[in-house]
Amino acid sequence: MQAEEMLKSVQSRLAAMTIYDVRQVAREVRAHVTSGQKGAIIESVLNIATGKEEPAPASKRGAPPKSERYDTRLVADVRALRNYYLSVNNIEEPNKVAVRDSVSYYSEKEYSGYLGNDGAAYYLLAEEKLFVSDHLVLRHDLRTGDYIRCKGRKKNEAALAGAVEILSINGFSADEKLQRRDFSSLTHIYPEKRLVLSGSGDISQRMIDLFAPVALGQRGVVCAPVNCGKTYILKSVALGICANYRDLEVIILTLGARPEEITEFRKSGGNFRLFYTSFDRPDEEHLAVANVAFDYAKRCVELQKNVVILADGLYESLPAEAVRNYLYCALNAEEGGSLTVIAATPQDADVSGAANMVLNLSPALKAQRVFPAIDILNSYSSREEALLSEEELSLAVALRTKLSSGASAGEIVEYFKATDNNRSLAEMIKNG
């Protein structure tokens, strides 16, 4: 995005805000607010962005704001624009320390990672944190979550390494102009294309295929108490998708995980991207990693890719508002591409009205040593008649009927263990 386009975007986003939110942005960028009119406040913010005004001196006078919350991405864009306009006009910020030309640079090396933004600066989340200048962000129309390969170098031992050349963005050469929509502009439609998990002999995959089928763009939850097998179920879903759909982007996001769980995911052999934090990390790190994972997924969908995120630990590690926002990201885009989100939730979590796929795990079945402990009667996918074939739908109804008529869950699991596919399972049920 060129500077002029970004400036227009900032102006339109400010115009769409309430005057309260505009004031919060103006306060953060230290715009000169001399009028209570929304238009005048917006004009002052734009003057800060284009370098026409100097930021107002920091002051503690007046009543404190009722909230410290503001649109961090919008504020970052205002700051990026200001840096750009000041640089093209050869204007130095007051009190800004200039880097001497004589400072020697360390040799360049290649970095790769995900672009993040902490509200003050862009950086690359890699093995070594890498600063990415606003100039490079503007030149290549970079967005948070983009997976970038670049060259970087240090100015001195104490300095953070900085990117000097972008090589590729999400697998495309940096010389290519990416044609992509904004994720927020995509149109939500109902999930239509089913993802078949089974094929490796995993019973849990076959049971999910029948009783809670997964589809592109679904918003799914795996409801389970602690130690009921939800992590195993998420891994099973991931491996089923990786094995059957090589062109899908599969992401596993696990927050507050135990180190042995992280090791198990790494050794599972699935072709997926793993984002994680361990349980000893602070809350802000959980949120930062979740933001990067979902931002990367959005960038892929903007390029019309199909992405699946399997998330564990969201409810335990993040505020409820953040979790709802992440679940809302799930969509089957009318314009092409999809984002499927399947998240593990506590059994008492309120998912009514949000999820269109629910897989319940039963602590009673776990106590009876029935694995997988899938509660068949309380697991479902919305519009499953559009996802299952007639034979599969008949089989699912027959098994649910058998269970509600007195058969135990253990017997149903044994039916799956005794057969290799749904056709032989249907014959077994038909013959009693």
Side-chain angles (χ1 to χ4, degrees):
M1 183 186 296
Q2 299 300 315
E4 294 80 3
E5 294 175 0
M6 181 180 280
L7 187 63
K8 289 179 182 178
S9 171
V10 166
Q11 186 173 10
S12 64
R13 285 146 66 191
L14 286 167
M17 288 179 167
T18 65
I19 189 169
Y20 170 79
D21 290 327
V22 171
R23 283 197 184 110
Q24 294 291 84
V25 171
R27 181 181 290 109
E28 187 61 24
V29 300
R30 290 163 52 194
H32 295 263
V33 180
T34 58
S35 167
Q37 297 294 318
K38 178 179 171 181
I41 301 173
I42 291 175
E43 183 179 358
S44 183
V45 172
L46 295 177
N47 285 339
I48 291 290
T50 54
K52 295 177 181 177
E53 291 182 5
E54 295 299 326
S59 173
K60 296 184 179 179
R61 297 178 59 188
K66 295 180 180 178
S67 170
E68 297 294 333
R69 297 183 61 183
Y70 57 88
D71 188 328
T72 55
R73 181 59 193 269
L74 183 55
V75 167
D77 287 348
V78 170
R79 289 171 174 160
L81 283 167
R82 181 173 179 80
N83 288 339
Y84 171 78
Y85 279 104
L86 290 178
S87 66
V88 296
N89 292 313
N90 295 316
I91 300 174
E92 283 286 344
E93 284 273 33
N95 304 320
K96 183 176 180 180
V97 179
V99 178
R100 295 178 183 271
D101 292 336
S102 60
V103 173
S104 61
Y105 281 83
Y106 285 74
S107 60
E108 292 182 2
K109 68 176 184 177
E110 196 168 299
Y111 295 80
S112 59
Y114 304 90
L115 186 67
N117 180 264
D118 59 9
Y122 290 97
Y123 60 89
L124 208 62
L125 188 65
E127 289 184 8
E128 180 182 354
K129 198 171 182 180
L130 184 77
F131 173 74
V132 181
S133 69
D134 299 325
H135 178 65
L136 286 176
V137 171
L138 280 167
R139 182 196 297 173
H140 294 283
D141 187 20
L142 301 180
R143 303 178 184 181
T144 55
D146 279 336
Y147 186 75
I148 298 168
R149 193 167 57 85
C150 65
K151 290 182 180 179
R153 61 190 175 189
K154 286 186 176 183
K155 295 178 181 178
N156 54 58
E157 286 290 354
L160 191 69
V164 295
E165 181 185 359
I166 305 297
L167 301 176
S168 68
I169 306 163
N170 299 326
F172 294 89
S173 169
D175 295 331
E176 296 182 52
K177 177 66 176 177
L178 294 183
Q179 300 298 322
R180 52 180 175 176
R181 294 173 173 267
D182 188 86
F183 184 84
S184 62
S185 71
L186 298 175
T187 308
H188 291 244
I189 60 175
Y190 282 110
E192 297 173 338
K193 182 179 178 181
R194 178 185 171 196
L195 295 176
V196 177
L197 308 180
S198 54
S200 65
D202 189 323
I203 297 171
S204 59
Q205 293 173 349
R206 289 178 60 197
M207 294 180 72
I208 294 170
D209 279 345
L210 268 185
F211 304 117
V214 178
L216 290 178
Q218 238 173 10
R219 188 176 301 105
V221 292
V222 179
C223 299
V226 178
N227 296 325
C228 213
K230 67 179 185 299
T231 302
Y232 172 81
I233 289 292
L234 289 178
K235 187 176 72 171
S236 179
V237 172
L239 293 177
I241 294 173
C242 288
N244 297 338
Y245 303 92
R246 303 281 181 175
D247 57 333
L248 260 66
E249 185 81 34
V250 180
I251 295 170
I252 289 183
L253 169 63
T254 178
L255 303 178
R258 293 175 291 217
E260 55 271 20
E261 291 175 337
I262 297 169
T263 302
E264 187 177 357
F265 275 123
R266 282 175 167 165
K267 291 184 175 181
S268 63
N271 183 28
F272 50 72
R273 292 178 186 260
L274 177 62
F275 294 83
Y276 67 89
T277 60
S278 53
F279 64 79
D280 63 328
R281 306 311 300 159
D283 292 344
E284 55 267 24
E285 187 169 323
H286 299 318
L287 186 59
V289 170
N291 281 338
V292 170
F294 274 88
D295 281 342
Y296 171 68
K298 291 177 184 179
R299 303 296 81 84
C300 290
V301 176
E302 289 170 344
L303 295 169
Q304 298 189 334
K305 294 182 179 180
N306 294 310
V307 187
V308 179
I309 292 184
L310 298 138
D312 194 7
L314 293 185
Y315 281 80
E316 295 83 357
S317 304
L318 302 176
E321 182 181 358
V323 177
R324 286 194 298 271
N325 290 339
Y326 290 139
L327 289 176
Y328 184 78
C329 291
L331 90 157
N332 184 27
E334 188 174 45
E335 297 82 359
S338 66
L339 175 53
T340 307
V341 180
I342 300 178
T345 71
Q347 203 165 37
D348 57 353
D350 181 15
V351 296
S352 58
N356 47 27
M357 175 270 197
V358 177
L359 186 70
N360 271 292
L361 302 184
S362 166
L365 295 180
K366 180 232 176 185
Q368 298 168 23
R369 297 296 187 267
V370 175
F371 296 106
I374 296 175
D375 184 350
I376 294 172
L377 294 179
N378 292 303
S379 298
Y380 62 89
S381 288
S382 300
R383 300 164 64 93
E384 64 180 15
E385 67 280 357
L387 302 177
L388 297 174
S389 67
E390 289 185 16
E391 294 79 9
E392 289 171 320
L393 189 59
S394 297
L395 178 57
V397 170
L399 288 168
R400 285 191 173 108
T401 301
K402 199 169 186 66
L403 189 59
S404 59
S405 299
S408 69
E411 290 179 74
I412 302 298
V413 170
E414 289 302 319
Y415 290 150
F416 279 90
K417 289 182 179 179
T419 56
D420 295 326
N421 53 61
N422 289 339
R423 181 169 296 176
S424 56
L425 177 56
E427 286 294 323
M428 177 180 285
I429 298 300
K430 182 179 179 180
N431 297 329

